[in-house]
Amino acid sequence: MMWVYEHTVEDTNITAQQVWAAYQNVSAWPSWDSELQSASLLGDFTVGSKIIIKPKKGPKAKAVITECVPFEKFKDVATLPLKTELIFSHQIEQNSKNVKLTHRVSIDGPLTFIFKLFVGKPIQAHLPKAMETFVLLIKNGEI
């Protein structure tokens, strides 16, 4: 059974182009996600490229970008033990009034029931603050 959590923020003072540039700046992710010690991109920000993430608590993880549509969305997937996947989806929607960002976290596989407790719930707890910080840093021109 899949576990899913998503959070959305909207802002009138940023653009999809600014958001996309901040997503591509993988090494700056720890500046807005307080749970990350480091993050790096191997290659270009495109399908098939790998992202290495080191959480403050836990081992390094390798994710692969599996979907990438500039200025609209990207998805990265990390494989956990026993074919369980940790999936991060990022959606950007811009209209004439604002930009809406949705981050969705999914855990899918045989060990979902364990990983939702030890991985999913902590992500759920800090994701709203991370997204708020993300938008603030974009508005301030810091990422």
Side-chain angles (χ1 to χ4, degrees), residues 3-141:
W3 176 87
V4 176
Y5 173 74
E6 74 176 33
H7 185 73
T8 300
V9 295
E10 295 184 46
D11 197 278
T12 58
N13 297 309
I14 61 174
T15 66
Q17 290 78 10
Q18 289 172 300
V19 172
W20 191 255
Y23 283 149
Q24 289 182 298
N25 188 358
V26 175
S27 62
W29 289 6
S31 68
W32 54 270
D33 187 336
S34 64
E35 295 298 311
L36 292 180
Q37 180 177 317
S38 64
S40 59
L41 175 65
L42 306 178
D44 295 326
F45 199 85
T46 188
V47 171
S49 292
K50 293 173 179 52
I51 299 170
I52 307 298
I53 297 171
K54 173 63 176 96
K56 288 183 177 173
K57 298 176 184 174
K60 278 185 181 178
K62 184 184 340 178
V64 176
I65 298 174
T66 60
E67 185 176 11
C68 188
V69 179
F71 313 111
E72 292 182 23
K73 62 185 173 181
F74 81 95
K75 181 188 297 184
D76 59 272
V77 179
T79 302
L80 303 172
L82 292 178
K83 298 183 181 179
T84 301
E85 292 183 326
L86 176 61
I87 305 155
F88 288 92
S89 302
H90 308 78
Q91 181 86 29
I92 307 167
E93 297 174 62
Q94 183 162 4
N95 60 41
S96 61
K97 296 179 183 176
N98 65 13
V99 170
K100 181 170 139 181
L101 306 176
T102 301
H103 288 192
R104 178 183 173 137
V105 183
S106 309
I107 300 173
D108 192 22
L111 295 181
T112 297
F113 68 100
I114 292 175
F115 285 112
K116 77 176 182 183
L117 297 175
F118 297 105
V119 177
K121 293 296 182 178
I123 292 171
Q124 180 177 351
H126 88 270
L127 187 59
K129 178 66 175 165
M131 291 181 70
E132 177 184 313
T133 302
F134 182 67
V135 169
L136 181 63
L137 292 176
I138 292 171
K139 286 198 294 194
N140 292 340

